[in-house]
Amino acid sequence: MLKVKTPRNHRVRRELEKRAPKLVENGKKTLILHGTKTSGVLNEVLKEIYHLKKGKAVKFSRKNENIKPFENGGETSLEFFSMKTDCSIFVYGSHSKKRPDNLVIGRTYDHHIYDLVEVGVENFKPMESFKYDKKLAPLIGSKPMIAFVGEGFENVEELKHFKEVLLDLLRGEVVENLNLVGLDRVYVCTAISSNRVFLSHCGLRLKKSGTKVPRMELVEVGPSMDLVVRRHRLPNDSLKKAAMKTARDQPKKKVKNVGDDAVEGKIGKIYIPDQKVGEMAVIDKSKGVKRERREAKLKKGDHGHVSKKQKEDST
């Protein structure tokens, strides 16, 4: 039997409640790791990804020898770090002669590897190399827009998968309503070829347009880089089916005597108590009732009552 550990204080209990499954999950956190060997360019890339995801990212600075995402047995340490930091997206950087400046971006489900995309970084330009008005610098934690340009994101299988991974990595918190003033940056992803994507980060400048909707101009603020897709691994069917399940909404409290109809919509039932007509007191003052009584007496031949006109005729 496995021993179930219970929290000893309120702080630990709150942390466990945050990590527990919910009907509406929290925003995804990103785990950034280094491989056994990394280059100077790759270190700058990982540092700027951490800066862009600040507040929703965890960065490890030590080298990790046991992490090999695409090999059997090389995912155990990665899944352990994912569970320890409660991160569902990871970025792993490594450098070798065969695969220089290599980035592996992946997602996890229930702290198990869900899918992987391996890309090579080329033509990297850091934020420091761009000159612009610092007033246009995007605020940390602001909601970005993401634009995908090119038919490759719809036609090429590798780029379609890479698009899904980039969306989860860059989009931040999922919101229903957004103020236009809060939009201050955009990620532009351009499919140059069947395996190459140009990624740039731009700030938004709002200008007058003569209408209620302002005109927007893009100012490149960095970083920018070419990402060459090398390998990718799709999720298996069983894990994908489990990850795609949607939780039912909390059942609404049943309202008594109210139902729904496909045509008429909401229908209500009204219960009226028995009126007991036989016990009701009926007032007999209507003219129609008197006339019916006179007609009934005439039919029976009751001549006991003589009208005034008949008395005058008899005299």
Side-chain angles (χ1 to χ4, degrees), residues 107-124:
R107 297 179 291 181
T108 62
Y109 171 72
D110 196 18
H111 304 300
H112 295 288
I113 301 299
Y114 181 74
D115 59 354
L116 298 168
V117 176
E118 185 183 65
V119 296
V121 179
E122 296 180 2
N123 303 324
F124 173 71

Side-chain angles (χ1 to χ4, degrees), residues 257-269:
N257 300 328
V258 177
D260 294 328
D261 185 79
V263 179
E264 299 181 359
K266 187 179 289 187
I267 298 176
K269 294 181 181 180

Side-chain angles (χ1 to χ4, degrees), residues 216-280:
M216 293 187 179
E217 289 186 357
L218 300 183
V219 179
E220 195 167 3
V221 297
S224 68
M225 66 192 87
D226 287 340
L227 300 174
V228 182
V229 180
R230 292 172 177 168
R231 290 185 292 178
H232 78 113
R233 192 180 77 185
L234 296 172
N236 57 52
D237 295 336
S238 60
L239 189 62
K240 185 177 181 180
K241 185 177 180 180
M244 291 298 177
K245 282 185 179 179
T246 56
R248 293 182 179 179
D249 295 336
Q250 294 180 352
K252 296 180 181 179
K253 189 176 180 180
K254 188 176 181 180
V255 182
K256 193 176 181 180
N257 300 328
V258 177
D260 294 328
D261 185 79
V263 179
E264 299 181 359
K266 187 179 289 187
I267 298 176
K269 294 181 181 180
I270 301 176
Y271 291 92
I272 302 176
D274 296 336
Q275 295 184 1
K276 299 180 181 181
V277 181
E279 298 180 4
M280 295 176 64

